[in-house]
Amino acid sequence: MRSHLRDLLTRAIKKTSQEGALNSTELPPVLLEAPKQREFGDLATNVAMLWAKTAKKPPRMIAETILKNLDDPDGILARKEIAGPGFLNFAFAPKFYYQRLRELAAGKDATLDLGHGAKVQVEFASVNPTGPLHVGHGRVAVIGDVLARLHEATGFEVEREYYVNDAGKQMENLGLSLYARYRELFGEKIDFPEDGYAGDYVRALAAEVKQRDGDKFLNESKEAAVDFFRQFGGDSLLGTIRGQLGEFGIQFDSFFSERALRERSEVVRSMDLLRARGLLYSQDGAQWFKSTEFGDDKDRTVIKSDGELTYFASDIAYHRNKFERRYAKLINVWGADHHGYVPRLKAALQGLGYDPDLLQVVLVQMVQLTRGGEPVRMSKRTGEFVSLEEVLEEVGRDAARFFFLMRKSDSHLDFDLDLAKRQSSENPVFYVQYAHARVASIFEQARRNGMFDGDHHGDQLVGLERLELGEELELIRQMIQFNDVLQESVRELEPHRIVFYLLDLAGEFHRYYNRCRVISEDEGLSRARLLLVENVQKTIRRGLEILGVDAPLKMAARSDP
């Protein structure tokens, strides 16, 4: 819809400019949005108001001139009018909708090539391998995965990367925790590390080592034993994380090790580059990066006074490595607690001579699980947390993925476990999937009636003009906006837009199904309606595939939508 109307308006604006009546050759951008109230039409633009300043003419006068010069040779507009101070409102004619439905049926809108093969990296779900994933990690993971799917669906070449934080103090604490539990299994009374990991999974890993190696590590030096447990624990837990993500339908193209990054001296070389550019200085025995020179609120430590590298130093080197891999766009999906980290990282990249705008960071807020209206508490440190694995076992992959996407990523999410399991129209994912299955049942009936033999019936012989109801035109209107929603989702990095779109389309379809018989004695009308609902099903399936959610052909409903 937007592209067709934008073409008409662009030609009208150029014609208006060429006439010279507006004293301005600086053409305004054509921004099109759906009016908040449907009675004002399908799309509206403030282009006349944007042009008024340079043209030095009243917006309504400019709007009148644009409309006068707007040619619509194919008759795709049913209404065009000026509203308020100079808005232009447009409504499309049924003829336009029928043309678009034929194009949908022919598969002309099945692909959208925004990326033209440009390489994009999405880094997400990168948690320290110090414990299993909880539901907050799950939300980050599915948002990252769907952002990757969105880019793949729109013509980008995508690489999914997991950054393994397998170096530093947290990994040391994991090694100490495992070593303490291991000694405990031999009857020793131990002082558990103050910052240790107390979850049952630590005891289970320690017991695994005892069963395999006996008391071997009681006879090793503490340093050697802790080093073993750090490596063993990290590898085991990364394997657990990979398995959990695999169950969630998420695979990665690469796992990038922080430890290996340090061992290759990439962190040291990055610090040397910043130092050579005069962007590091010494204070109190530590090394500081001058991030305030690039808009950060204070300078940041990169090397501590004891010579240890900070996580920030590793992140600078890691992102330098990313930039050297020549991606057209870098997307990081992080927890919202990293909010203050973004400006300092972008400052470091700018200090190294890179364009910081190539890096886009999506911040994801926390998830609150509820059951029976009561919060389900979780705490990784004490081991009292609900793991992602438990949630998947309880509600299933489809519901978990869909629910994690039901709010904008930077908004808190309440995840109702009871609702996610409900097989009724109250459950949003069931509501959308049932629309897809409902169309399948309609086609089963059509086959039984001999109306549809399995070959495509939606050719030029179907009389789409029979689709006269407002609900039918509204279904077409919503379907032809899918590519617009895809484009906006990619541009704004907002996968929740696909969920909202599918809920709206499914709702419109269920209302139509409950009011109208798709198959009737009127064969011409039946064929037109079959073509309509078949494309509703295709559009829903296309959206669910991007979300990584199944599109079932059969479902049992206890409460009919």
Side-chain angles (χ1 to χ4, degrees):
M1 291 173 68
R2 281 182 170 86
S3 63
H4 284 83
L5 182 55
R6 188 175 286 111
D7 287 344
L8 295 182
L9 281 169
T10 300
R11 287 197 292 269
I13 289 167
K14 284 181 179 176
K15 188 175 178 181
T16 302
S17 175
Q18 288 163 0
E19 289 176 350
L22 296 181
N23 305 314
S24 174
T25 56
E26 186 180 335
L27 301 183
V30 180
L31 306 175
L32 295 166
E33 296 294 339
K36 291 182 180 177
Q37 294 172 275
R38 283 287 285 116
E39 61 264 28
F40 292 137
D42 296 310
L43 290 171
T45 180
N46 63 348
V47 66
M49 300 160 75
L50 293 175
W51 207 356
K53 187 173 182 181
T54 57
K56 298 179 181 176
K57 299 282 185 181
R60 284 188 71 92
M61 176 187 166
I62 295 173
E64 288 168 2
T65 308
I66 291 172
L67 285 189
K68 182 188 75 173
N69 288 324
L70 193 147
D71 295 322
D72 179 18
D74 297 323
I76 68 170
L77 296 175
R79 194 173 80 245
K80 47 193 178 185
E81 59 191 19
I82 302 168
F87 287 101
L88 286 166
N89 293 341
F90 300 91
F92 288 89
K95 175 183 177 181
F96 172 78
Y97 291 119
Y98 302 146
Q99 290 171 346
R100 302 289 80 73
L101 180 55
R102 288 203 191 279
E103 289 174 0
L104 280 174
K108 289 185 179 178
D109 276 358
T111 58
L112 179 63
D113 191 4
L114 301 177
H116 306 294
K119 287 178 63 179
V120 172
Q121 189 212 62
V122 186
E123 183 234 313
F124 62 102
S126 302
V127 298
N128 300 322
T130 54
L133 299 177
H134 60 57
V135 289
H137 299 139
R139 190 183 185 200
V140 171
V142 75
I143 286 172
D145 185 53
V146 175
L147 283 171
R149 289 168 179 262
L150 277 165
H151 282 78
E152 285 172 335
T154 53
F156 292 87
E157 183 184 335
V158 178
E159 180 181 333
R160 296 164 171 82
E161 185 155 284
Y162 186 113
Y163 180 49
V164 186
N165 296 112
D166 52 0
K169 190 163 182 59
Q170 287 174 307
M171 294 305 296
E172 187 71 15
N173 287 338
L174 175 66
L176 289 167
S177 303
L178 277 167
Y179 182 52
R181 293 302 187 209
Y182 172 78
R183 289 166 53 204
E184 205 172 49
L185 290 172
F186 289 94
E188 289 189 34
K189 287 192 175 182
I190 51 98
D191 293 324
F192 195 75
E194 185 178 341
D195 294 325
Y197 294 94
D200 288 341
Y201 64 90
V202 176
R203 287 189 173 89
L205 286 173
E208 187 180 327
V209 174
K210 180 187 177 187
Q211 183 177 5
R212 191 188 70 186
D213 296 321
D215 63 357
K216 173 182 176 180
F217 296 101
L218 296 181
N219 303 315
E220 298 266 6
S221 69
K222 180 180 179 181
E223 182 180 359
V226 170
D227 188 59
F228 164 80
F229 280 108
R230 176 194 54 73
Q231 185 70 43
F232 170 79
D235 290 345
S236 297
L237 288 167
L238 182 59
T240 298
I241 290 168
R242 291 177 75 157
Q244 288 180 308
L245 291 171
E247 288 292 320
F248 207 23
I250 296 173
Q251 302 293 331
F252 286 89
D253 299 297
S254 58
F255 285 79
F256 193 104
S257 164
E258 178 189 358
R259 189 175 185 85
L261 181 83
R262 293 189 179 199
E263 288 171 353
R264 292 192 300 268
S265 301
E266 288 193 47
V267 185
V268 172
R269 284 199 296 273
S270 296
M271 296 306 102
D272 288 344
L273 281 171
L274 290 174
R275 193 175 292 108
R277 288 169 173 255
L279 295 173
L280 294 190
Y281 65 91
S282 297
Q283 183 176 305
D284 301 326
Q287 294 277 303
W288 298 73
F289 167 59
K290 298 178 181 178
S291 52
T292 49
E293 290 193 9
F294 304 95
D296 195 10
D297 59 346
K298 62 181 180 180
D299 292 342
R300 307 291 177 173
T301 313
V302 288
I303 303 174
K304 299 177 185 177
S305 55
D306 61 2
E308 185 182 344
L309 293 164
T310 64
Y311 280 112
F312 181 44
S314 292
D315 282 338
I316 293 171
Y318 173 46
H319 284 82
R320 175 173 169 256
N321 181 290
K322 287 188 184 189
F323 271 86
E324 291 301 305
R325 284 185 263 166
R326 305 294 182 190
Y327 295 103
K329 179 162 62 171
L330 295 168
I331 301 168
N332 287 1
V333 186
W334 289 346
D337 55 338
H338 287 78
H339 180 270
Y341 206 80
V342 179
R344 76 184 77 165
L345 181 58
K346 289 202 169 198
L349 294 172
Q350 193 173 348
L352 286 168
Y354 300 113
D355 179 0
D357 292 334
L358 290 180
L359 171 65
Q360 296 174 273
V361 180
V362 176
L363 297 172
V364 182
Q365 280 287 358
M366 292 294 293
V367 179
Q368 174 65 68
L369 287 176
T370 63
R371 184 182 282 114
E374 295 296 320
V376 178
R377 307 252 172 232
M378 51 187 171
S379 170
K380 185 175 180 180
R381 284 291 182 181
T382 63
E384 298 172 359
F385 65 88
V386 180
S387 70
L388 176 61
E389 186 177 24
E390 292 173 86
V391 172
L392 289 175
E393 287 174 359
E394 183 167 347
V395 307
R397 185 173 77 182
D398 287 348
R401 290 184 69 104
F402 199 93
F403 271 59
F404 281 139
L405 294 162
M406 281 174 53
R407 295 286 180 273
K408 193 175 178 182
S409 61
D410 60 2
S411 299
H412 285 275
L413 175 69
D414 288 328
F415 191 122
D416 187 334
L417 291 164
D418 293 335
L419 178 61
K421 291 184 290 184
R422 206 166 292 159
Q423 298 291 302
S424 75
S425 61
E426 294 173 308
N427 180 347
V429 66
F430 181 92
Y431 190 65
V432 174
Q433 288 178 317
Y434 195 62
H436 186 273
R438 237 177 186 170
V439 177
S441 71
I442 291 171
F443 274 92
E444 280 187 16
Q445 182 186 346
R447 289 185 188 94
R448 288 194 300 268
N449 293 0
M451 191 172 292
F452 179 59
D453 60 6
D455 293 327
H456 197 281
H457 62 88
D459 57 24
Q460 297 298 317
L461 299 177
V462 176
L464 298 183
E465 293 74 17
R466 300 296 305 277
L467 302 174
E468 299 174 325
L469 297 178
E471 294 98 321
E472 291 167 335
L473 296 177
E474 180 60 24
L475 277 171
I476 301 171
R477 192 183 79 88
Q478 289 201 20
M479 283 190 284
I480 64 179
Q481 290 184 80
F482 183 64
N483 279 350
D484 286 338
V485 175
L486 272 184
Q487 189 165 346
E488 291 163 3
S489 301
V490 169
R491 184 181 67 236
E492 302 298 330
L493 301 182
E494 292 183 345
H496 72 278
R497 291 172 182 254
I498 304 296
V499 168
F500 289 4
Y501 171 84
L502 289 175
L503 286 168
D504 286 345
L505 180 58
E508 196 64 41
F509 168 75
H510 287 308
R511 287 187 290 273
Y512 175 66
Y513 177 90
N514 289 330
R515 181 184 163 186
C516 303
R517 289 178 61 198
V518 175
I519 301 172
S520 66
E521 295 75 18
D522 186 332
E523 185 171 336
L525 179 60
S526 297
R527 288 189 177 277
R529 287 180 170 176
L530 282 169
L531 181 63
L532 174 68
V533 300
E534 181 187 31
N535 282 280
V536 170
Q537 185 190 51
K538 280 164 52 178
T539 305
I540 289 173
R541 182 166 62 247
R542 195 174 161 206
L544 288 174
E545 284 173 356
I546 289 171
L547 301 183
V549 173
D550 287 339
L553 297 176
K554 288 188 178 181
M555 295 179 74
R558 290 204 294 264
S559 177
D560 209 20

